[in-house]
Amino acid sequence: MKKNGIGKNRAFKLCVLIAFSVLASFTSYSQYRVSPILRYSVSMTEPGSHLLHVALDVSELNMDTVELRMPRWMPGYYQIMEYSKEVSNFSAAGSNGNAIPVICTNNNAWLIIPGKNTSFSISYDVCADKKFVANNFLDSTHAYIVPAATFLYLNEHTDIPVTVEVIPFSSWNDIATGLEVSDENGNEFHAPDFDILYDCPILTGNLDELPSFTVGGIKHRFLAYNPGNFDREGFIASLEKTVKAATEIMGDIPYNEYTFIGIGPGAGGIEHLNNTTVSFSGGRLDNPDALQGMLKFLAHEYFHHYNVKRIRPYELGPFDYSREARTNLLWVSEGLTVYYEYLIVRRAGLMSDEELIASLESDINTLENDPGRMHQSLTQASFQPWSDGPFGNRSPGPDRSISYYVKGPVVGLILDLKIRNATANKKSLDDVMRLLYATYYRKLQRGFTDAEFQQACEEIAGTSLSNEFEYVYTTREIDYSTYLSYAGLNISDEVDKSTGKSLFTITVKDDIESLQSSIFQSWSGN
Ligand SMILES: [Zn+2]
């Protein structure tokens, strides 16, 4: 069979270190830690049933009881998903084939009592009928497998290596995943621990491969299910410029190969260390607005491999998959990634200055017409997606929440322009991102706290940013005109008579000073 396993990517230093941290935090287990060998297989012999069949062989076991758990959520999608609800037909058998006891201890855990067996097998089915980037999906044409929704982990032992054999439906030829290929046929994969396994979704079917490209000597691929008809060469040329502009901000490419995995038409994408899984359809990409929207979306998911996968809040790793990973800093991880998606596409030459300004103007108008901005700060919004959802609480009643996807980029703009003005345009938010990457990812190999993020911004700015961080911690009204004037921009506010809504308009000032001009030029990448 022809396989398209991404494989060979060992750029997982962060997560390997995460695994060491997990191990260190469970020293009480180390005295009888035995490293059982775990081999998973996932098959799909009747794709029309929407059922994935999963088998796990455990050997070299030296434990009286084994608690297997299904994650309750997946990193990158900050909602409790309760993936265990999709599991059925759970059974366990010893090496002699006899059934062994299983106790379902709660909704997401199964206690196996292997007795004298040093090896045993379990098997179960997983319903895969939800077409969404954070859910499993299987039909007669393809399968999208979310490992966190499919493979159980040994409680308190997410540091154990694991092998996964993917057995596609008989007429399917391709597998795309960020996992390392570990056999000649290309359908067996190795993960050094469950953090890596859960970071690598699997797409199988008869996939299309778009032209690959190289940035900084490193290969970038695009594999997709049903991408449609469009100018693939032209699209990839634009994507290459986008990736290049993103890597130039950070000055380092921390993986050996990267793959965009298009899972078919739909909405949403999720970031990973060496790949992203994205809803993708090329059918409308001959429309310039649709193409630019797609490039912003892909720039966003791509930039996340820096901002959130490697530059990350303290709470976002190592993960406890049994409970929420709440942080005040999703406005940095998500909001600043939105800000950078605009800058990346502009600096790649795929967006005009006017379109860059219009993107931020749109966020300002959305924020200023959201009554929730008077009730919820960015830090509060960052803490709440587990209950409110990523775009704020949308249930009926007074709107008391905001989206960090909207206020995040606005505050990113404020911080960036403040830093540029305070340093005579010698420093910018780009320097903050590079400082965080060098300090917390490369050197300390951990996430940063709220205070450490502000300290990094202030170190680059060379001055206190306590006024600007009030826009993060409080609901204080934003003084747009002061900050926009640093880049020679003007902002006006009027009421739209037809809708009654505030209408903010940003324009370029006619007569600007040289510092304002240089800030605008370097900010937009001219
Ligand atoms: Zn995002």
Side-chain angles (χ1 to χ4, degrees), residues 271 300 304 334 405:
E271 62 278 2
H300 179 104
H304 265 317
E334 290 295 347
Y405 286 101

Side-chain angles (χ1 to χ4, degrees), residues 261-375:
I261 300 175
I263 64 171
I270 295 186
E271 62 278 2
H272 307 288
L273 282 165
N274 68 353
N275 71 94
T276 179
T277 45
V278 290
S279 302
F280 181 83
S281 174
R284 291 183 58 243
L285 295 184
D286 55 350
N287 175 306
D289 290 341
L291 175 61
Q292 191 178 91
M294 178 60 75
L295 291 170
K296 283 198 282 189
F297 169 52
L298 294 177
H300 179 104
E301 300 304 336
Y302 176 76
F303 194 67
H304 265 317
H305 86 75
Y306 296 115
N307 190 30
V308 84
K309 297 307 296 185
R310 294 181 171 90
I311 301 169
R312 64 172 176 84
Y314 191 83
E315 297 82 2
L316 292 188
F319 296 113
D320 179 345
Y321 298 97
S322 69
R323 62 182 176 84
E324 302 96 327
R326 289 185 185 268
T327 168
N328 291 326
L329 290 164
L330 284 182
W331 73 272
V332 172
S333 300
E334 290 295 347
L336 296 190
T337 300
V338 174
Y339 179 62
Y340 272 104
E341 81 182 46
Y342 306 153
L343 290 181
I344 288 164
V345 176
R346 172 66 194 96
R347 292 175 187 175
L350 301 163
M351 177 193 273
S352 65
D353 287 344
E354 291 73 21
E355 288 166 327
L356 171 62
I357 290 168
S359 296
L360 289 156
E361 190 182 79
S362 172
D363 287 333
I364 290 171
N365 277 302
T366 303
L367 175 64
E368 293 301 319
N369 285 293
D370 182 352
R373 82 185 198 288
M374 304 303 294
H375 299 278

Side-chain angles (χ1 to χ4, degrees), residues 284-515:
R284 291 183 58 243
L285 295 184
D286 55 350
N287 175 306
D289 290 341
L291 175 61
Q292 191 178 91
M294 178 60 75
L295 291 170
K296 283 198 282 189
F297 169 52
L298 294 177
H300 179 104
E301 300 304 336
Y302 176 76
F303 194 67
H304 265 317
H305 86 75
Y306 296 115
N307 190 30
V308 84
K309 297 307 296 185
R310 294 181 171 90
I311 301 169
R312 64 172 176 84
Y314 191 83
E315 297 82 2
L316 292 188
F319 296 113
D320 179 345
Y321 298 97
S322 69
R323 62 182 176 84
E324 302 96 327
R326 289 185 185 268
T327 168
N328 291 326
L329 290 164
L330 284 182
W331 73 272
V332 172
S333 300
E334 290 295 347
L336 296 190
T337 300
V338 174
Y339 179 62
Y340 272 104
E341 81 182 46
Y342 306 153
L343 290 181
I344 288 164
V345 176
R346 172 66 194 96
R347 292 175 187 175
L350 301 163
M351 177 193 273
S352 65
D353 287 344
E354 291 73 21
E355 288 166 327
L356 171 62
I357 290 168
S359 296
L360 289 156
E361 190 182 79
S362 172
D363 287 333
I364 290 171
N365 277 302
T366 303
L367 175 64
E368 293 301 319
N369 285 293
D370 182 352
R373 82 185 198 288
M374 304 303 294
H375 299 278
Q376 191 180 56
S377 69
L378 263 182
T379 46
Q380 289 170 324
S382 295
F383 200 73
Q384 288 297 344
W386 301 91
S387 43
D388 284 358
F391 305 108
N393 189 335
R394 292 292 176 260
S395 57
D399 181 353
R400 293 183 177 275
S401 64
I402 58 165
S403 168
Y404 44 76
Y405 286 101
V406 173
K407 190 172 179 182
V410 172
V411 171
L413 173 69
I414 300 296
L415 286 172
D416 199 1
L417 295 180
K418 171 67 181 181
I419 292 167
R420 288 175 185 274
N421 186 66
T423 61
N425 200 33
K426 291 187 173 58
K427 301 284 183 182
S428 72
L429 195 62
D430 299 359
D431 293 283
V432 174
M433 302 308 282
R434 288 190 285 267
L435 176 64
L436 293 169
Y437 184 82
T439 304
Y440 294 99
Y441 170 58
R442 286 292 187 201
K443 186 176 170 196
L444 300 176
Q445 297 163 351
R446 66 167 173 84
F448 47 82
T449 65
D450 300 37
E452 286 167 342
F453 179 78
Q454 183 169 340
Q455 282 165 13
C457 292
E458 292 180 335
E459 182 180 332
I460 295 298
T463 186
S464 167
L465 297 176
S466 55
N467 278 340
E468 289 68 30
F469 272 84
E470 282 198 38
Y471 300 137
V472 173
Y473 295 119
T474 76
T475 59
R476 184 178 145 196
E477 294 270 12
I478 297 174
D479 174 12
Y480 294 108
S481 59
T482 294
Y483 295 97
L484 288 170
S485 72
Y486 295 153
L489 297 171
N490 202 22
I491 186 163
S492 63
D493 170 21
E494 58 185 319
V495 175
D496 184 329
K497 291 196 177 75
S498 61
T499 63
K501 292 184 171 182
S502 294
L503 184 62
F504 287 79
T505 306
I506 300 173
T507 52
V508 180
K509 288 183 176 176
D510 292 332
D511 188 19
I512 61 173
E513 297 167 4
S514 63
L515 176 58

